Amino acid sequence: MDIKESIESVRRQFRSDSDPFPSDKDSLENLKIKFLGRKGLIANLFSQIPNLSNDQKPIAGKLLNHLKIELENSFPSDTESAFPLEEKIDRSLPGVTYPPGNKHPIQSTMDEIKRLFGQIGFAVAYGPEIDDDFHNFSALNFPKDHPARDMQDTFFTKEDLILRTHTSNVQVHLMEEKQPPLRYIVPGRVYRNESISFKSFCLFHQVEGIYIDKNVTFSDLKGTLEYFVKKMFGSKTKMRFRPSFFPFTEPSAEVDIWSEKNNQWLEILGSGMVDPQVFKAVNVDNNLWNGFAFGMGVERICMLQYEIDDIRLLYQNDVRFLEQF
Ligand code: PHE
């Protein structure tokens, strides 16, 4: 057979073989090999060229090259993406199972605190973790040169904002935004630029409490916190109110509970009657309204509850630790 006819016949054969065009990767591959493979029909035609007469050689070469390009263009340039995933899925493989998770101990403690205060009428509120000097310090009656504002304790951001050092900033937001009476607890993260050790971390959680009404007394504060401590740690827990100082409360008291295990008093929260300076900063009439506030460290309480002796364990997310709760 004349070479031109052979070329034409391969073209016809390809047209019939590729109609319909293969719909899976294997038959596509086979079709390609049959025509374009190293021992395929095109290669076979090329191998005949040396035997042709000198004037036939260039003509046949040209025709054959055309056919080759034509065939190559009929195939998708990337078989993988033409048939994505096909053949890659082994439907007999067992599925991936995930072990059931459980609550992080900090979350459990936080949930319990929320529940206990919920039972005596405190609603939950939240506020910003990145805040300005006014809400974190000034409105809370911190003097301009107070050490807490120092770079040593507070994380500063570029725009004169800080990472809040306590949840007390939300006291200010709530009093600005809402009309008293107020009765809220505020759970959240707080940040301090402290050196990290078994007892302190750069990030921890607090729950703030704020109670503003008419004729609120210090015994209301004591009763509320006593209720909380007895419910949280057990009705036989020994507790004491110890006089203390905060710029934003007057008088102020810290609450300690007696730890049998450590044979010592452990501080769990700060509290006090809202200072008149704070009311002034947020334009609340202190002749009409007064109240108390408190703030507790969640990690502290969590570590006491679960007998955890290193705060860093709560932040390492080691499954061997977390599994125990
Ligand atoms: N913000 C105080 C602290 O971080 C705790 C506190 C809150 C004290 C409210 C009094 C009233 O230590």
Side-chain angles (χ1 to χ4, degrees), residues 266-300:
L266 295 173
E267 179 202 320
I268 55 157
L269 61 83
S271 67
M273 304 304 288
V274 177
D275 194 290
Q277 290 299 325
V278 178
F279 284 121
K280 214 164 139 190
V282 292
N283 286 320
V284 170
D285 184 356
N286 187 209
N287 293 319
L288 206 59
W289 305 102
N290 72 331
F292 63 78
F294 55 88
M296 61 187 81
V298 179
E299 277 75 358
R300 251 298 166 80

Side-chain angles (χ1 to χ4, degrees), residues 196-201 299 303 307-316 321:
I196 291 166
S197 74
F198 72 95
K199 59 175 181 181
S200 62
F201 201 61
E299 277 75 358
M303 288 165 74
E307 303 194 345
I308 298 164
D309 52 17
D310 189 331
I311 191 171
R312 291 168 295 194
L313 287 166
L314 293 168
Y315 286 93
Q316 285 159 347
F321 170 77

